[in-house]
Amino acid sequence: MILQFGTSRFLQAHVDLFLHEAREAGQDVPAVTVVQTSGSVERAGRVRAFGAAEGYPVVIRGLEDGAPVERRVQVKSVTRGLSVATDWPEIVRLFVHEVQFVVSNTGDAGYALDPSDTGLDAAAPARSFSAKLAQLLHARYVGSGEALTILPCELVQGNGPILRGLVRNCAKGTAPGFLDWLDARVVFANTLVDRIVSEPIEPVGAVAEPYALWAIERAPGLELPCTHPAIVLADSIEPHERLKLHILNLGHSWLAQVWQDEERPVGETVREILADPSVRARLDALYDGEVIPGFAAKGMGSQARDYVETTLARFLNPYLDHRIADIAGNHALKVQRRMAAFLDWTGQPAPMLSAIIERNAA
């Protein structure tokens, strides 16, 4: 089985949809059990809805090769929903004895450790995701010792190695056999996900664009739960990662900054804000004057120009309502990862980006 940490509409319309489509194509794909890590009472209905036999809807809406498309898929890869708050013993049991793959998407702050998380005893769940995962991995080491592949989908550069490092930090001071097992038997894949998922369908489901990418870096011992046209195996995912993080996501955060600064309408969408000629001109100037030259300095100018063109077409998708208020969450952290990290990487002057970074510094 696949254990998925995170109930987000993104995973519903990305990984879970791919798994469903692979199964429909005749592949032997394990079922998904979704785990709500936050214990949020507001999302309890979503957790229960994941167990519905009829699955949940994903609407793919937008443009492909310039032509409008809309299709509705009833996703049935997810068969069960559990909550860390109420189902922890069952989660531990599944992790030790039944899980073949782990998928996670715990948000931009998902890798933050809580100072209260100490030790690996799985009797009660830790507060942070990384510490929970360390508890579960230790329980698996003790209980079965079976190999495992972890596929993190958080938008963190080097998400696999970083998550491995966090788990190892949680395990400091434990028996060295656990750390040896972790290194030898657990693959922390390095991945990149890319799809705009614009709105939810309640209680479970989502509306998404046609474009989708799940780039996964090759590694010794790596196994995948399925093959799919949107899944790309690469020797290095850094080029995909840089383009997505520092063009599409950077552009989103730049629009969120404008939206906040100008106190624009609460429900404004990416498409609507770019209908303002002033905003569009400034975004074009940012891409042309700071972003593409930064990529060019790293030998990726041509790729960046092509990706900017693709990104603007995705932003202007007339069939998606992607609210900027949703993009603006955790804004300061996103500015660091999308803009400050870009300047650190390129070493090029970028006054527009530098001004935003300075304003959002802690």
Side-chain angles (χ1 to χ4, degrees), residues 75-91:
V75 175
K76 298 180 180 179
S77 55
V78 180
T79 59
R80 190 180 186 189
L82 299 173
S83 170
V84 163
T86 56
D87 302 305
W88 180 247
E90 175 66 359
I91 293 167

Side-chain angles (χ1 to χ4, degrees), residues 13-59:
H14 192 268
V15 175
D16 297 333
L17 174 62
F18 300 166
L19 295 169
H20 168 82
E21 291 177 332
R23 181 181 289 179
E24 290 292 293
Q27 297 180 43
D28 184 14
V29 181
V32 179
T33 293
V34 170
V35 176
Q36 180 199 36
T37 59
S38 66
S40 169
V41 175
E42 291 79 8
R43 295 188 178 181
R46 179 184 297 182
V47 175
R48 288 192 298 271
F50 276 120
E54 67 273 17
Y56 63 83
V58 170
V59 176

